[in-house]
């Protein structure tokens, strides 16, 4: 279904698709339970990592699972152990009929909002559109629903109890960014940005240091970003037209096969992009180029002022970037193997984390919302370790905590996991091999 004529038509298509899947799997419930049980029995979890905790505003925020496996968002005072439950996903479903999707806390920690989708008779959320449930947090710990915004796809808090959110059109395309003042009618919301191009999908995010909001208008093969200061007052500038007196700044106009992502750090924008070598060039890009890490001054973020921040060799590819107050963590692929580079901004130095399993694994950085964090948590997997998690100290680069899970009846020390490079014509293909350690020593004897 390429171009549905209406949201109703798309919803009906999704309903029929879901029903078809249920009919196709009818009668296999027992087999599904059996397979799930066998997978649980085949995995031994030695230790489970504790929830990631984020300290902010005198509170420690974290997510845990209740007895039924549902997500529970909690907080406690930084100097105490008394827990306050913000939202229990299971209770939200049973009591209010919503499926919890995400939750954010306001800058002053007096309220929070969660994106939640209405549940249907099948107890599944079928719609892309969600409701934004805004709750107040009382001094005594009481949680009270104060308002609900409808037709919301994504959102980000602003200062002074403001929230910015995207809305969907009739084809379920996020096309507009709105600004809302908590406690005021939704009819007074300000239009922050409107994307007329039907091929583009709009999103709203916030830089990690909370100084700027980012409006991303993207297609499958391009992106176009705009930024505005988080303390902008759009309600006093409604008469100024769509540009809001220049408060929203375009970073780089759209170019086919060119994407870029930004964050703000130490008075400049950090830019991950696959743009041409000359960022201000708009010559045709036939195939996507490798990503690079660039920088731009806060007051001059346009492409003509982009310069290189961190270089990698031609055999390396940047895959992900995470920004912290004193560090920038860059995930790299080097000849098929992962590497994690830590750039220390105050010292203007770079170093690599020592990865487990001699680097013969996949690495997935776990998102860290805390800007001033001094540690980062990485997830690993290898042929002999289903899942491992490790925390690294960004100042010392040492592994400070680790947790792992391995298949039962396998002693990982009995096996060797290594990479070999196999020539094939004009290219060299990296291959990962796993075999008993005895076979390795026999081969090299």
């Amino acid at each position: 279904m390429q171009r549905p004529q209406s949201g109703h038509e798309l919803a009906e298509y999704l309903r029929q698709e879901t029903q078809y899947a249920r009919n196709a799997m009818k009668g296999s419930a027992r087999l599904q339970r059996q397979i799930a049980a066998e997978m649980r029995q085949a995995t031994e979890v030695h230790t489970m990592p504790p929830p990631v905790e984020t300290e902010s505003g005198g509170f420690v925020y974290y997510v845990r699972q209740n007895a039924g496996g549902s997500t529970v968002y909690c907080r406690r005072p930084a100097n105490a152990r008394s827990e306050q439950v913000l939202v229990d996903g299971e209770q939200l479903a049973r009591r209010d009929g919503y499926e919890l999707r995400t939750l954010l806390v306001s800058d002053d920690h007096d309220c929070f909002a969660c994106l939640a989708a209405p549940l249907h008779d099948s107890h599944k959320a079928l719609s892309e559109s969600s409701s934004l449930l805004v709750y107040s947090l009382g001094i005594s710990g009481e949680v009270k629903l104060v308002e609900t915004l409808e037709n919301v796809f994504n959102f980000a808090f602003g200062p002074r109890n403001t929230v910015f959110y995207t809305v969907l059109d009739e084809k379920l395309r996020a096309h507009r960014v709105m600004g809302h003042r908590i406690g005021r009618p939704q009819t007074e919301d300000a239009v922050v940005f409107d994307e007329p191009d039907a091929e583009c999908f709009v999103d709203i995010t916030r830089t990690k240091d909370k100084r700027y909001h980012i409006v991303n208008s993207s297609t499958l093969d391009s992106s176009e970003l705009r930024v505005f200061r988080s303390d902008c007052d759009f309600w006093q500038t409604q008469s100024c037209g769509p540009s809001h007196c220049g408060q929203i700044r375009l970073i780089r106009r759209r170019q086919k096969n060119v994407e870029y992502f930004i964050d703000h750090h130490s008075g400049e924008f950090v830019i991950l992009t696959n743009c041409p070598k000359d960022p201000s060039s708009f010559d045709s890009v036939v195939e996507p180029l490798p990503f690079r890490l660039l920088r731009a001054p806060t007051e001059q973020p346009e492409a003509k002022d982009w310069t290189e921040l961190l270089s990698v060799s031609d055999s390396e590819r940047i895959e992900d970037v995470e920004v912290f107050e004193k560090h920038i963590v860059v995930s790299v692929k080097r000849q098929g193997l992962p590497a994690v580079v830590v750039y220390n901004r105050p010292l203007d130095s770079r170093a690599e984390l020592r990865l487990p399993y001699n680097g013969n694994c996949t690495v997935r950085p776990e998102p860290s919302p805390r800007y001033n964090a001094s540690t980062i948590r990485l997830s690993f997997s290898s042929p002999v370790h289903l899942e491992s998690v490790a925390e690294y100290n960004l100042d010392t680069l040492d592994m400070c905590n680790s947790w792992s899970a391995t298949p039962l009846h396998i002693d990982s020390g009995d096996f060797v996991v290594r990479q070999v490079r196999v020539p094939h014509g004009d290219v060299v293909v990296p291959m990962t091999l796993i075999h008993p350690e005895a076979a390795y020593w026999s081969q090299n004897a």
Side-chain angles (χ1 to χ4, degrees):
M1 187 172 207
Q2 297 297 320
R3 294 180 178 274
Q5 297 302 312
S6 66
H8 175 75
E9 182 181 348
L10 180 57
E12 176 60 22
Y13 174 83
L14 294 174
R15 188 195 66 76
Q16 293 181 16
E17 188 178 65
T18 302
Q19 188 61 46
Y20 174 83
R22 287 178 181 154
N23 292 339
M25 299 296 292
K26 190 175 181 180
S28 66
R30 182 178 179 182
L31 177 61
Q32 293 179 48
R33 291 193 298 270
Q34 178 182 346
I35 293 175
E38 291 176 356
M39 293 179 67
R40 285 193 298 269
Q41 293 173 2
T43 305
E44 179 179 16
V45 179
H46 300 299
T47 53
M48 290 294 293
V52 176
E53 295 186 342
T54 302
E55 185 172 343
S56 180
F59 294 94
V60 175
Y61 293 89
Y62 56 96
V63 179
R64 61 174 176 81
Q65 306 294 317
N66 64 14
S70 180
T71 300
V72 183
Y73 288 84
C74 309
R75 76 174 183 180
R76 58 176 173 81
N79 57 358
R81 303 303 301 177
S82 56
E83 180 181 84
Q84 179 184 16
V85 174
L86 305 182
V87 172
D88 184 319
E90 185 176 7
Q91 291 184 9
L92 186 68
R94 290 180 177 179
R95 181 186 61 212
D96 303 319
Y98 285 104
E99 178 185 82
L100 180 62
R101 289 183 169 174
T102 187
L103 181 147
L104 295 175
V105 180
S106 66
D107 289 6
D108 58 12
H109 302 270
D110 287 340
C111 67
F112 68 91
C114 58
L115 206 59
L119 292 171
H120 295 265
D121 293 339
S122 60
H123 302 291
K124 294 291 183 181
L126 302 179
S127 175
E128 293 291 329
S129 177
S130 300
S131 300
L132 188 63
L133 311 178
V134 182
Y135 296 85
S136 64
L137 288 166
I139 299 177
S140 303
E142 64 273 13
V143 176
K144 180 181 179 182
L145 178 66
V146 294
E147 61 181 343
T148 302
L149 306 182
E150 299 296 348
N151 191 32
V152 177
F153 184 80
N154 197 16
F155 77 103
F157 268 109
R160 300 184 299 275
N161 279 348
T162 58
V163 62
F164 298 93
Y165 63 95
T166 55
V167 297
L168 302 177
D169 61 14
E170 67 279 357
K171 294 185 179 180
L172 302 183
R173 174 184 70 98
H175 70 112
R176 181 177 298 149
V177 178
M178 304 292 295
H180 175 75
R181 292 174 291 182
I182 296 174
R184 304 291 298 179
Q186 195 171 0
T187 54
E188 295 182 6
D189 289 359
V191 178
V192 175
F193 175 76
D194 200 354
E195 176 57 79
D197 190 340
E199 298 298 321
C200 299
F201 190 92
V202 175
D203 195 17
I204 180 72
T205 56
R206 197 176 186 184
T207 58
K208 206 166 180 178
D209 63 4
K210 297 188 176 182
R211 294 179 181 271
Y212 289 86
H213 279 78
I214 305 167
V215 179
N216 186 353
S217 176
S218 62
T219 66
L220 292 177
D221 59 5
S222 70
S223 57
E224 184 175 88
L225 273 59
R226 292 167 173 81
V227 298
F228 61 88
R229 290 186 61 88
S230 291
D231 58 2
C232 281
D233 189 343
F234 290 94
W235 294 269
Q236 292 186 1
T237 57
Q238 285 293 286
S239 60
C240 299
S243 66
H244 296 293
C245 300
Q247 292 191 87
I248 301 180
R249 301 187 65 174
L250 174 65
I251 302 296
R252 188 182 190 275
R253 64 182 173 88
R254 191 182 314 281
Q255 183 179 12
K256 185 176 176 59
N257 289 323
V258 173
E259 298 178 276
Y260 63 103
F261 311 90
I262 67 173
D263 209 326
H264 190 257
H265 186 274
S266 299
E268 61 185 14
F269 287 105
V270 176
I271 306 156
L272 178 63
T273 179
N274 63 346
C275 72
K277 188 172 183 180
D278 177 6
S280 61
S281 171
F282 282 86
D283 294 339
S284 176
V285 177
V286 179
E287 294 291 337
L289 300 169
F291 278 88
R292 298 180 294 150
L293 193 61
L294 308 180
R295 71 201 325 166
T298 298
E299 301 305 321
Q300 297 173 288
E302 292 78 14
K304 63 182 179 61
D305 295 304
W306 293 5
T307 57
E308 191 170 62
L309 173 61
L310 188 74
S311 62
V312 296
S313 67
D314 292 340
S315 63
E316 297 175 327
R317 295 291 182 266
I318 297 179
E319 295 195 321
D320 190 37
V321 174
E322 184 81 18
V323 173
F324 297 89
E325 187 175 28
K326 295 194 300 180
H327 305 87
I328 298 177
V329 180
V330 184
S331 299
V332 176
K333 266 293 178 65
R334 181 184 298 138
Q335 297 180 343
L337 290 177
V340 179
V341 178
V342 178
Y343 176 52
N344 189 309
R345 291 300 296 266
L347 300 179
D348 191 25
S349 63
R350 58 184 289 177
E352 287 191 23
L353 298 179
R354 185 176 179 180
L355 304 181
Y357 320 130
N358 295 319
N360 292 291
C361 56
T362 60
V363 179
R364 186 180 70 255
E366 296 192 1
S368 176
R370 185 179 170 189
Y371 180 61
N372 62 349
S374 59
T375 61
I376 186 171
R377 185 176 287 192
L378 305 176
S379 295
F380 305 94
S381 62
S382 80
V384 294
H385 292 83
L386 297 182
E387 188 76 18
S388 300
V389 179
E391 277 185 349
Y392 288 84
N393 185 301
L394 295 176
D395 291 318
T396 65
L397 306 181
D398 294 329
M399 183 188 295
C400 48
N401 285 299
S402 64
W403 307 268
S404 65
T406 59
L408 282 177
H409 315 302
I410 291 181
D411 185 345
S412 59
D414 293 340
F415 292 86
V416 172
V417 180
R418 60 192 179 97
Q419 187 191 70
V420 297
R421 300 173 62 78
V422 181
H424 180 71
D426 297 332
V427 299
V428 177
V429 181
M431 297 182 63
T432 300
L433 302 182
I434 174 173
H435 52 77
E437 187 177 24
Y440 179 72
W441 290 113
S442 174
Q443 179 187 13
N444 288 274

